[in-house]
């Protein structure tokens, strides 16, 4: 199965490589019993995406990032995340399948059962882990760590938290085109809004660009769950425009795109005490979602669901339909056979 971007723009096949790491399209279904208002809620379950040791939205980004690293002749991916990083784990597992090593700088976050389990997975993923503890120490350590992990005369392929680089954003341009195809096929009505958590911004930026490229008028509701990065509307729109520029540079004859600010709605009242801190609203949303057969986690998706339910109760989403994007993709752990090097 080829990338939808390649199907639309044949010019990109040779200029923007893609590898298939998951099976699409991911399931879309109506979420019954969750809405307290008049909004029709739907689920696009991207937690199902990923055919390897981990799933979720990070895998869609890696479908473009791994071949870009290989194209540049890099042997190691270096990136950053919290102690319970889904992004770092997905990178370590999928990069290994393509002969790439992974080095992670890990920043402290509140440690609960979810984070402890994830940290155990990271320690068995084969990645080299550097516990840098704070954002400031991480920034200071990056030059040394890049030099340390250089190979073959080349520095590692450096990626920001969450893989939300200009190339990584393509993962959710692709997902938006997939959703548009599901709308065209009658699987789901055209949504008025798509709701996603914003931890590093790449998912929301890709949706903004992809939905407009697909000709849908759907607005993106981004629920900010990270206070360690700048995640305002200006930053997210700039990210989407940079990826648009990349597509044009690589040869795609894109139509004129507006990427207007009113296509993005930011929700900033679900953060709680900060990144990684669970909230009462989030825990209530997790429980309600579990009753509807949807498993969420406390850092990203529970807060995004809490925002969805609050907006619904306040009548701010209208009658919808509204699509909730689930990005939580745990697996059974069968792929964790290696051991990591841990540098403290």
């Amino acid at each position: 199965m080829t990338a939808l971007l390649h199907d639309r723009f044949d010019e990109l096949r040779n200029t923007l490589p893609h590898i298939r790491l998951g099976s699409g399209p991911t399931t879309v279904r109506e979420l019954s019993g969750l809405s307290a208002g008049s909004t029709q809620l739907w689920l696009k379950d991207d937690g199902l995406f990923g055919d390897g040791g981990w799933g979720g939205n990070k895998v869609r980004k890696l479908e473009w990032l791994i071949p870009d690293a290989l194209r540049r002749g890099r042997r190691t991916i270096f990136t950053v995340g919290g102690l319970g990083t889904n992004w770092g784990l997905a990178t370590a597992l999928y990069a290994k399948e393509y002969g790439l090593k992974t080095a992670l700088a890990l920043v402290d976050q509140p440690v609960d059962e979810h984070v402890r389990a994830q940290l155990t997975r990271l320690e068995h993923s084969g990645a080299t882990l550097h516990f840098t503890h704070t954002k400031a120490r991480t920034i200071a350590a990056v030059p040394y760590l890049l030099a340390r992990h250089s190979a073959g005369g080349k520095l590692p392929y450096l990626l920001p938290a969450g893989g939300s680089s200009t190339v990584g954003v393509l993962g959710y341009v692709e997902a938006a085109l997939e959703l548009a195809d599901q709308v065209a096929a009658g699987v789901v009505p055209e949504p008025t809004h798509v709701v996603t958590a914003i931890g590093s911004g790449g998912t929301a930026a890709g949706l903004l660009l992809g939905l407009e490229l697909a000709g849908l008028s759907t607005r993106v509701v981004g629920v900010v769950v990270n206070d360690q990065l700048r995640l305002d509307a200006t930053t997210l729109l700039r990210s989407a425009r940079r990826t648009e520029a990349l597509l044009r540079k690589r040869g795609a004859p894109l139509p004129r795109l507006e990427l207007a600010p009113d296509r993005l709605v930011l929700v900033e009242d679900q953060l709680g005490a900060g990144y990684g801190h669970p909230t009462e609203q989030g825990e209530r949303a997790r429980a309600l979602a579990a009753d509807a057969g949807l498993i969420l986690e406390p850092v990203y998706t529970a807060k995004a669901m809490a925002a969805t339910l609050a907006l619904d109760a306040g009548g701010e989403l209208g009658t919808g339909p509204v699509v909730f994007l689930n990005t939580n993709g745990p697996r059974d752990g069968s792929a964790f056979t290696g051991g990591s090097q841990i540098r403290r």
Side-chain angles (χ1 to χ4, degrees):
M1 182 178 177
T2 59
L4 296 176
L5 269 168
H6 289 173
D7 289 341
R8 282 178 175 252
F9 305 108
D10 193 62
E11 299 85 353
L12 297 176
R13 292 181 190 274
N14 295 322
T15 63
L16 202 57
H18 173 267
I19 56 176
R20 179 62 64 187
L21 299 178
S23 301
T26 54
T27 300
V28 177
R29 65 177 174 89
E30 192 168 358
L31 275 175
S32 58
L34 277 177
S35 175
S38 58
T39 304
Q40 185 185 20
L41 291 181
W42 288 71
L43 167 71
K44 184 165 176 62
D45 197 354
D46 262 23
L48 301 174
F49 195 84
D51 295 335
W54 200 253
N57 63 331
K58 313 306 184 188
V59 185
R60 286 197 187 265
K61 298 177 183 180
L62 289 166
E63 290 194 326
W64 300 92
L65 291 167
I66 289 174
D68 192 54
L70 294 171
R71 182 180 67 87
R72 295 171 182 268
R74 306 304 170 91
R75 298 183 183 179
T76 301
I77 293 176
F78 180 89
T79 190
V80 299
L83 292 176
T85 172
N86 292 314
W87 157 242
L89 180 60
T91 301
L93 295 174
Y94 286 95
K96 181 166 54 177
E97 294 180 10
Y98 287 84
L100 294 170
K101 297 178 181 178
T102 299
L104 303 175
L106 299 179
V107 177
D108 292 344
Q109 70 178 89
V111 177
D112 56 13
E113 182 179 350
H114 167 76
V115 172
R116 280 191 289 271
Q118 192 73 337
L119 187 54
T120 297
R121 297 183 187 106
L122 285 167
E123 291 172 346
H124 289 85
S125 69
T128 300
L129 309 182
H130 299 276
F131 293 86
T132 50
H133 300 294
T134 68
K135 180 179 178 180
R137 287 181 60 178
T138 300
I139 293 170
V142 165
Y144 164 75
L145 293 175
L146 288 176
R148 179 172 179 170
H149 289 285
S150 296
K154 292 192 175 183
L155 292 171
Y157 186 71
L158 176 62
L159 287 170
S164 294
S165 67
T166 302
V167 173
V169 166
L170 291 169
Y172 271 84
V173 176
E174 183 79 4
L177 297 179
E178 180 181 292
L179 177 60
D181 281 354
Q182 291 175 306
V183 169
V187 178
V188 57
E190 180 175 345
T192 58
H193 302 80
V194 173
V195 183
T196 184
I198 296 184
S200 60
T203 297
L207 288 172
L208 280 168
L209 177 55
L211 289 166
E212 184 161 343
L213 187 58
L216 299 184
S217 59
T218 307
R219 301 173 77 190
V220 176
V221 179
V223 183
V224 177
V225 300
N226 190 350
D227 55 354
Q228 301 299 306
L229 300 172
R230 183 175 177 180
L231 295 170
D232 56 19
T234 299
T235 301
L236 296 174
L237 286 164
R238 184 186 302 122
S239 177
R241 290 184 181 117
R242 284 175 176 168
T243 299
E244 176 192 357
L246 173 69
L247 290 170
R248 293 187 190 278
K249 182 179 179 180
R250 298 294 176 88
L254 303 186
R256 184 174 181 274
L257 302 173
E258 293 291 339
L259 292 175
D262 64 2
R263 295 291 297 271
L264 174 65
V265 179
L266 285 185
V267 178
E268 299 177 300
D269 62 358
Q270 295 294 330
L271 180 63
Y275 176 74
H277 290 268
T279 63
E280 290 184 10
Q281 303 99 306
E283 291 307 293
R284 286 197 296 269
R286 281 181 77 189
L288 289 170
D291 289 341
L294 175 61
I295 304 302
L296 306 178
E297 44 67 43
V299 179
Y300 298 93
T301 51
K303 292 180 179 181
M305 179 59 78
T308 305
L309 298 178
L311 291 170
D312 172 36
E316 296 174 68
L317 297 175
T319 58
V322 172
V323 170
F324 177 83
L325 180 70
N326 179 37
T327 56
N328 181 36
R331 298 291 185 261
D332 63 9
S334 59
F336 306 108
T337 57
S340 295
Q341 300 179 59
I342 300 176
R343 311 294 187 193
R344 297 184 184 271

